[in-house]
């Protein structure tokens, strides 16, 4: 990361005619040979593109890329632009530059599972530090716990300290522990070493790996899906084990092994991510649902999906892997982008730590840093609609003919066509996220912050929910209002105002202010 140490106060940046321009209090700067040169001092403040010119505009702000910024700026809205091999982020008048790191790809064959220290493929399970082969192949998870590592394949390979054991019957082609044949290993979770819950294609078991004793819990839930978790949640610390089978999510009590049905969906649950008692992301066959268990609220955030595999989270991105590629949903902005990377990814082949996201596919192992995902996401979100772009190019080519037709229309007083033209002009203005209208909306919010709501905005500017959402850069208008109120709350508290006065000025209730 680097930033331009310039005395000017920066507002936003745009890409125009394959060059980067930055709006500032001193005018428009142009990026040349990695230096900012004053391009036009007559246009001060935010900028936008209007036809063949750069004109004064407004700033589009969000929090979607703030994970890249220093800690003291992560909560401040920013403006971001992808240009060349860099991402340019402006916040609080400062311009930061981040170099895009090309994601790392290793051609290891088809990668089937990944953990901190191991990579599993059809050609063998490899230890990362020395590339030594542990077993001949795997087709399911590798789970590393504090005191044990398990490789799920046809059998169950167990590693603890410097010793290892393969619970496998080569004739039976499955797990063999004691005199019990348990089926092929699917997944395993820790209760408290040496006790584990083991899932196979035959049943669900309680396993004591030291005593090598097994007790069947149920044979109704074959090849189930255990919940995925953010890295800050250790499933061992929870009093229950969450899993899905067919279209239902269940809980299993760790002490009693009692299973309870929790939530039902109208199609099979392929994978799910448990964030808290109020946030879960449930991946169904054709869509990703954000689910609030406490309120039983379901919201579809990605739809029309096909051949999906898993859902997980890395930093601010909820990711969905599929046979067709990688989809991303940004929890900060509420925006999503499909197929940011097109390649066939394998089910069960992902791993997340503090620094990286690892994905396995038929073409090898992919390693991402947060800047990589941000770049993919930013590029895809800002990718123009080819149909709309083609139409605008066509309009640009015949603009003089259109102008002559318009003049002729005015001469013969054909009001009908004039009105029709104006209607179309307004339509494309809304579709194009008119920055001036957005500026007017935000100014109206600021002037009526203590009483404003979405319905008032729709009435004042005569907009539908859909049009308002798109004009606000696909950010929920309610979230825009909330952020402005929070920003004002912090400002007024610094001035020493009472909570009652802050409540009057922001529109927040006193009880809600206590939570901020």
């Amino acid at each position: 990361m680097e930033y331009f140490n310039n005395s000017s106060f920066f507002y936003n940046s745009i890409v125009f005619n394959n060059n980067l321009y930055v709006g500032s209090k001193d005018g428009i700067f142009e990026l040349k040979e990695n230096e900012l040169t004053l391009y036009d001092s007559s246009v001060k403040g935010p900028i936008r593109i209007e036809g063949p010119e750069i004109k004064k505009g407004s700033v589009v702000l969000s929090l979607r890329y703030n994970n890249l910024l220093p800690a003291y700026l992560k909560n401040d809205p920013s403006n971001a632009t992808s240009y060349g091999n860099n991402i340019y982020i402006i916040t609080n008048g400062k311009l930061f530059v981040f170099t895009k790191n090309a994601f790392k790809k290793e051609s290891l064959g088809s990668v089937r599972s990944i953990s901190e220290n191991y990579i599993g493929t059809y050609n063998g399970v490899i230890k990362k530090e020395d590339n030594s082969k542990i077993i001949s192949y795997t087709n399911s998870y590798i789970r590393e716990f504090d005191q044990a590592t398990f490789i799920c394949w046809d059998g169950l390979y167990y590693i603890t300290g410097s010793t290892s054991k393969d619970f496998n019957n080569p004739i039976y082609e499955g797990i063999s522990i004691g005199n019990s044949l348990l089926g092929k290993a699917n997944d395993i979770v820790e209760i408290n070493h040496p006790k584990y819950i083991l899932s196979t294609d035959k049943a669900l078991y309680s396993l004591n790996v030291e005593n090598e004793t097994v007790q069947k819990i149920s044979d109704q839930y074959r090849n189930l899906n255990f919940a995925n978790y953010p890295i800050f949640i250790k499933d061992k610390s929870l009093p229950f084990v969450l899993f899905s089978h067919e279209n239902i999510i269940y809980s299993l009590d760790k002490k009693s092994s009692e299973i309870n049905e929790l939530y039902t969906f109208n199609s099979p649950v392929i994978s799910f991510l448990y964030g808290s008692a109020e946030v879960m992301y449930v991946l169904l066959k054709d869509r990703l649902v954000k689910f609030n268990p406490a309120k039983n609220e379901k919201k579809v955030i990605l739809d029309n999906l096909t051949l999906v595999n898993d859902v997980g989270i890395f930093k601010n991105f909820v990711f969905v892997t599929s046979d067709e590629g990688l989809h991303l949903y940004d929890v900060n902005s509420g925006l999503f982008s499909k197929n940011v990377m097109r390649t066939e990814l394998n089910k069960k082949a992902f791993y997340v730590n503090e620094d990286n996201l690892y994905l396995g596919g038929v073409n090898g192992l992919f390693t991402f840093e947060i800047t990589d995902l941000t770049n993919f996401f930013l590029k895809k979100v800002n990718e123009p609609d080819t149909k709309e772009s083609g139409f605008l190019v066509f309009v640009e080519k015949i603009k003089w003919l259109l102008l002559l037709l318009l003049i002729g229309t005015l001469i013969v007083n054909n009001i009908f066509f004039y009105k029709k033209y104006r209607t179309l002009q307004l339509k494309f203005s809304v579709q194009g996220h008119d920055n001036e209208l957005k500026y007017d909306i935000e100014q109206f919010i600021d002037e009526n912050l203590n009483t404003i709501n979405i319905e008032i905005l729709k009435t004042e500017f005569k907009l539908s929910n859909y049009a308002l959402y798109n004009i606000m850069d696909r950010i929920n208008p309610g979230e825009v209002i909330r952020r402005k109120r929070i920003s004002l709350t912090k400002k007024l508290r610094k001035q020493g105002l009472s909570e009652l006065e802050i409540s009057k000025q922001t529109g927040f209730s006193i009880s809600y202010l206590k939570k901020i």
Side-chain angles (χ1 to χ4, degrees), residues 255-293:
K255 290 184 178 180
S256 66
S257 294
E258 179 182 354
I259 296 175
N260 291 304
E261 181 178 319
L262 297 181
Y263 317 109
T264 302
F265 295 83
N266 58 10
S267 63
V269 176
I270 307 301
S271 175
F272 70 105
L273 171 70
Y274 176 86
S276 69
E278 296 181 348
V279 179
M280 292 172 64
Y281 292 91
V282 182
L283 182 61
L284 305 178
K285 185 178 180 180
D286 60 355
R287 60 195 180 278
L288 178 65
V289 176
K290 185 177 182 180
F291 177 47
N292 184 332

Side-chain angles (χ1 to χ4, degrees), residues 448-466:
N448 302 276
L449 193 57
N450 61 336
T451 58
I452 194 68
N453 58 44
I454 294 176
E455 291 303 318
I456 293 175
L457 284 177
K458 287 163 56 180
T459 302
E460 176 68 20
F461 292 93
K462 297 178 175 58
L463 296 170
S464 66
N465 280 325
Y466 178 79

Side-chain angles (χ1 to χ4, degrees), residues 151-311:
I151 301 173
C152 298
W153 65 296
D154 287 349
L156 182 67
Y157 195 88
Y158 167 54
I159 304 170
T160 180
S162 59
T163 64
S164 61
K165 184 170 183 177
D166 191 8
F167 295 108
N168 176 52
N169 185 317
I171 299 176
Y172 171 68
E173 293 186 348
I175 303 171
S176 175
I177 298 180
N179 297 320
S180 301
L181 300 176
L182 308 180
K184 296 180 180 180
N186 170 54
D187 202 356
I188 190 167
V189 296
E190 184 178 22
I191 301 300
N192 195 12
H193 186 78
K195 296 180 180 180
Y196 297 84
I197 299 294
L198 172 67
S199 165
T200 76
D201 64 350
K202 298 296 184 183
L204 187 64
Y205 301 95
S206 174
L207 166 66
N208 186 314
V209 71
E210 286 187 352
N211 296 338
E212 297 186 14
T213 56
V214 178
Q215 183 176 354
K216 182 189 291 185
I217 297 173
S218 174
D219 58 6
Q220 297 181 34
Y221 313 101
R222 301 180 180 184
N223 281 333
L224 54 77
N225 298 303
F226 288 123
N228 300 320
Y229 299 92
I231 59 174
F232 59 83
I233 295 181
K234 300 296 184 182
D235 56 352
K236 187 175 72 171
S237 65
L238 300 173
F240 52 80
V241 173
L242 291 175
F243 69 89
S244 68
H245 185 256
E246 296 180 346
N247 65 324
I248 301 174
I249 293 177
Y250 300 86
S251 69
L252 183 151
D253 187 274
K254 288 183 176 179
K255 290 184 178 180
S256 66
S257 294
E258 179 182 354
I259 296 175
N260 291 304
E261 181 178 319
L262 297 181
Y263 317 109
T264 302
F265 295 83
N266 58 10
S267 63
V269 176
I270 307 301
S271 175
F272 70 105
L273 171 70
Y274 176 86
S276 69
E278 296 181 348
V279 179
M280 292 172 64
Y281 292 91
V282 182
L283 182 61
L284 305 178
K285 185 178 180 180
D286 60 355
R287 60 195 180 278
L288 178 65
V289 176
K290 185 177 182 180
F291 177 47
N292 184 332
K295 297 181 179 180
N296 197 29
E297 293 177 348
K298 300 174 183 177
K299 178 184 179 183
V300 176
I301 55 177
L302 277 173
D303 57 6
N304 298 319
L305 302 178
T306 56
L307 303 173
V308 294
N309 295 323
D310 292 293
V311 60

Side-chain angles (χ1 to χ4, degrees), residues 121-125 133 135-139 151-154:
T121 75
Y122 274 141
N123 299 318
V125 176
K133 184 179 287 189
I135 57 176
S136 59
Y137 82 98
T138 185
N139 54 9
I151 301 173
C152 298
W153 65 296
D154 287 349

